[in-house]
Amino acid sequence: VQLVESGGGLVQPGGSLRLSCAASGSISSISPMGWYRQAPGKERELVASITSDGSTRYADSVKGRFTISRADTRNTVYLQMNSLKPEDTAVYYCTLTNNGRPYWGQGTQVAVSS
């Protein structure tokens, strides 16, 4: 299983970014997917997750600003990030749990700064 992320970058506070993650390989149709992030000096934390039937979960810090969605193929997941804040600066990692085993992407940097 491979995960490839894209869409990170530098944005001003209040701006928006959309992250994408495409999964390939032998993947179960019921594999949940999600996004984590890790800021310098901090532990990796869950940002948002989505199941195969579309159920979502968000960290309190991003509720109302971020939206996770999944393509019809179920192997691509998106994270729409609006009203970005400097504290959203981190490396964002896509994750997929396939048959009980977690897989991670290489990470994409998001920097929010004026």
Side-chain angles (χ1 to χ4, degrees):
V1 175
Q2 288 187 325
L3 302 173
V4 179
E5 301 124 332
S6 60
L10 174 64
V11 64
Q12 292 186 342
S16 298
L17 283 174
R18 189 191 194 209
L19 305 183
S20 300
C21 173
S24 60
S26 180
I27 300 169
S28 167
S29 62
I30 61 172
S31 296
M33 297 184 74
W35 292 92
Y36 279 70
R37 68 185 180 186
Q38 188 167 19
K42 295 188 176 181
E43 294 187 353
R44 191 173 296 190
E45 62 174 357
L46 174 69
V47 176
S49 63
I50 186 167
T51 62
S52 58
D53 64 0
S55 297
T56 58
R57 182 160 63 109
Y58 296 94
D60 288 343
S61 59
V62 307
K63 283 180 181 176
R65 300 188 298 120
F66 291 11
T67 302
I68 189 170
S69 60
R70 198 160 179 169
D72 289 341
T73 62
R74 297 196 180 93
N75 290 346
T76 300
V77 65
Y78 306 98
L79 186 68
Q80 178 66 44
M81 305 185 293
N82 299 328
S83 302
L84 283 160
K85 304 175 181 179
E87 51 263 42
D88 295 317
T89 295
V91 178
Y92 284 69
Y93 296 91
C94 176
T95 184
L96 174 150
T97 301
N98 190 46
N99 295 322
R101 176 181 173 180
Y103 293 86
W104 296 89
Q106 79 284 357
T108 185
Q109 177 71 52
V110 171
V112 185
S113 175
S114 55

